[in-house]
Amino acid sequence: INWIASALVIIIAAYLLPGVHVASFWTALLLAVVLGLLNIFIKPLLILLTLPITILTMGLFLVVINALLILLASTIVPGFTIDGFWWALAFGLLISLINLITASI
């Protein structure tokens, strides 16, 4: 159920942002899996490697890491494209906001 909910959040965020393109619901499901795997395996390593800059920016660099992981996912998942770094940043923030809103309901 969490997997389908994540795919729905991805579809909603892609609909709201003109620089993010998701070809189908199946693409969103695949993207949810890939983002989950990247967050499990790659994100902790990136956080560890960038710990000094993350501390210096009081954690705001984590948003940049999120955007970079979304850009990486766009190269892995066919049918998912991002028009640039700033769209990836906005996509990550919007997904987080939608997840926060739906979790509080």
Side-chain angles (χ1 to χ4, degrees), residues 22-66:
V22 177
S24 67
F25 184 71
W26 297 108
T27 303
L29 285 172
L30 180 60
L31 179 62
V33 169
V34 169
L35 282 176
L37 291 173
L38 288 174
N39 282 331
I40 290 171
F41 295 111
I42 304 295
K43 191 173 185 176
L45 181 63
L46 289 175
I47 290 172
L48 186 62
L49 290 174
T50 61
L51 194 58
I53 194 167
T54 303
I55 291 171
L56 187 66
T57 61
M58 293 182 277
L60 287 178
F61 194 72
L62 294 175
V63 177
V64 173
I65 291 174
N66 235 6

Side-chain angles (χ1 to χ4, degrees), residues 17-20 60 63-64 66-68 70-71 82-94:
L17 295 173
V20 179
L60 287 178
V63 177
V64 173
N66 235 6
L68 292 174
I70 291 169
L71 285 173
I82 299 268
D83 290 344
F85 173 77
W86 296 109
W87 287 114
L89 191 77
F91 184 69
L93 290 172
L94 187 59

